[in-house]
Every structure is written in C-alpha cells, then in structure tokens.
C-alpha cells in the first residue's frame, strides 16, 4: 500500500480530531508484530535525526556541553530506543493492572501509530521554528495538548476502558515505571549526560 504526503497528513488530522476512530482503524490493520517492532525502531531513528537537526539550529550552551550534557547520536538512540520499548510494555501491563484488555501486539500498534503522528507534528514545528521561533513555540504548545488528548483516547480504545480517567491512570503508571526502569538500565550501560557514550 502506497501512502502519499496528502494521505498521511489527512490520517494525522483524523487521528487528532477523531482519535478513537483512528485507533480502531489502526488496530483493525492487524499489522504483524515483527513489522511493528521495526516501525518502533524507525521512529526512534527519526527522532534522533530530528533532535540532531534541532541542535544544529539551537546549539546547547557551552557551559552545559562542558559539564557533559552533550550526547552523541548513538547515545540519543540508546535513550529513546530503550524508553520506547519499555513504554510499550509499561502501557501493556499498566492497562492490564486496572482491568484493560489490550494485547501486546495491539499496544505496539497504538504506540507506533502515536509516535508516527507525534513525529510528524514535531517535523512541522521544526519547519515553523525556521520561519519564526515564536510561531513554532505556539504550535508546539497547541500540539502538546492535542497529543495528550489523542493518546488518552488511543489507550482508552486499546484497553477497552469505559472512561478516559482509566486511560490517563494507565499512562501515568506506564510513564513512572518506564522512567524508573530505563533510568536504571541506562545507568548500568553508562549512557547519560556524564556517561561514556556521549
């Protein structure tokens, strides 16, 4: 199936305006697990590229670089990749803990779909920042709210919850668990502001 730019942007718009229906359509695709893991790796790589581009136009202050806060692309990929993988399992298990019914495959589908939408909006924001930093900042704030609303509805559909409060609870639990475990793993691997992979 070939997806052109206009079709993709329409899908992004639909996901924001009608996230529940968009989530149902994404789950109905029944994408193989292997393809989903590949998709997750791809959005992680694209996130690293976008971060690198942002650093080119807004370099980190020299004082922060001197203190070891600069990371190489590999370091960024390690952080983002580990976070994404753990977040998938976090959403899966957190949802199950509070009565959700979503499978791991369905969770992967939702997370990959959401990350693709988020990445698209970040790319648009990057383009706007090049034109006007203030417009880019305003767009970023607006899209942040839209993405939170979108993801809550995605998780609500994924786990078959009867209200968005449970979806928000699952997201918060997943974020806390992911942050704690990824922090431990990255510390063991030596990846971080003062780690050896910078």
């Amino acid at each position: 199936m070939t997806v052109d730019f206009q079709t993709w942007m329409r899908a992004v718009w639909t996901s924001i305006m009608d996230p529940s229906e968009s989530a149902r359509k994404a789950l109905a695709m029944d994408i193989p697990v292997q393809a989903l893991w590949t998709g997750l790796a791809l959005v992680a790589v694209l996130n690293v590229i976008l971060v690198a581009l942002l650093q080119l136009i807004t370099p980190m202050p020299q004082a922060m670089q001197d203190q070891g806060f600069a990371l190489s692309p590999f370091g960024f990929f390690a952080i983002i990749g580990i976070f994404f993988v753990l977040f998938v399992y976090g959403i899966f298990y957190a949802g199950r803990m509070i009565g959700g019914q979503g499978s791991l495959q369905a969770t992967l589908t939702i997370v990959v779909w959401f990350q693709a939408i988020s990445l698209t909006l970040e790319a648009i924001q990057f383009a706007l920042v090049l034109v006007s930093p203030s417009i880019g900042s305003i767009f970023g704030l607006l899209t942040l709210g839209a993405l939170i609303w979108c993801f809550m509805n995605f998780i609500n559909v994924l786990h078959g919850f009867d209200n968005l409060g449970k979806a928000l609870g699952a997201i918060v639990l997943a974020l806390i668990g992911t942050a704690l475990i990824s922090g431990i793993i990255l510390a063991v691997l030596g990846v971080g502001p003062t780690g050896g992979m910078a």
Side-chain angles (χ1 to χ4, degrees), residues 22 50 68 90 94 107 115 123 127 140 177 195 197:
S22 180
L50 190 58
T107 305
Q115 288 299 331
M197 295 189 184

Side-chain angles (χ1 to χ4, degrees), residues 33-112:
V33 173
Q34 184 176 357
L36 291 169
W37 283 118
T38 302
L40 192 69
L42 177 60
V43 293
V45 170
L46 292 175
N47 266 285
V48 171
I49 293 173
L50 190 58
V51 168
L53 291 174
L54 285 171
Q55 283 192 330
L56 288 177
I57 63 172
T58 56
M60 185 179 295
Q62 187 62 44
M64 294 183 68
Q65 295 184 36
D66 293 340
Q67 293 176 18
F69 281 90
L71 280 174
S72 67
F74 179 78
F76 276 121
F77 179 76
I79 292 172
I80 293 173
I82 290 172
F83 184 88
F84 279 3
V85 171
L86 291 175
F87 190 57
V88 168
Y89 284 98
I91 288 292
F92 173 66
Y93 286 113
R96 287 300 187 97
M97 282 173 57
I98 54 180
Q101 302 299 318
S103 66
L104 181 60
Q105 180 183 7
T107 305
L108 253 175
T109 301
I110 289 299
V111 172
V112 171

Side-chain angles (χ1 to χ4, degrees), residues 52-191:
L53 291 174
L54 285 171
Q55 283 192 330
L56 288 177
I57 63 172
T58 56
M60 185 179 295
Q62 187 62 44
M64 294 183 68
Q65 295 184 36
D66 293 340
Q67 293 176 18
F69 281 90
L71 280 174
S72 67
F74 179 78
F76 276 121
F77 179 76
I79 292 172
I80 293 173
I82 290 172
F83 184 88
F84 279 3
V85 171
L86 291 175
F87 190 57
V88 168
Y89 284 98
I91 288 292
F92 173 66
Y93 286 113
R96 287 300 187 97
M97 282 173 57
I98 54 180
Q101 302 299 318
S103 66
L104 181 60
Q105 180 183 7
T107 305
L108 253 175
T109 301
I110 289 299
V111 172
V112 171
W113 184 256
F114 175 77
Q115 288 299 331
I117 294 167
S118 177
L119 189 63
T120 301
L121 295 177
E122 288 173 16
I124 294 173
Q125 182 182 3
F126 174 78
L128 290 174
V129 167
L130 294 177
V131 177
S132 170
S134 58
I135 293 177
S137 298
I138 293 172
F139 181 82
L141 290 174
L142 293 175
T143 55
L144 176 61
L147 286 171
I148 292 173
W149 168 254
C150 178
F151 197 53
M152 285 174 61
N153 279 274
F154 276 15
I155 301 307
N156 200 48
V157 171
L158 165 67
H159 282 297
F161 293 140
D162 53 7
N163 63 76
L164 292 177
K166 289 184 178 180
L168 179 59
I171 294 170
V172 171
L173 285 174
L175 285 172
I176 293 173
T178 299
L180 290 174
I181 298 174
S182 62
I184 294 172
I185 293 175
L186 291 170
V188 170
L189 294 177
V191 181

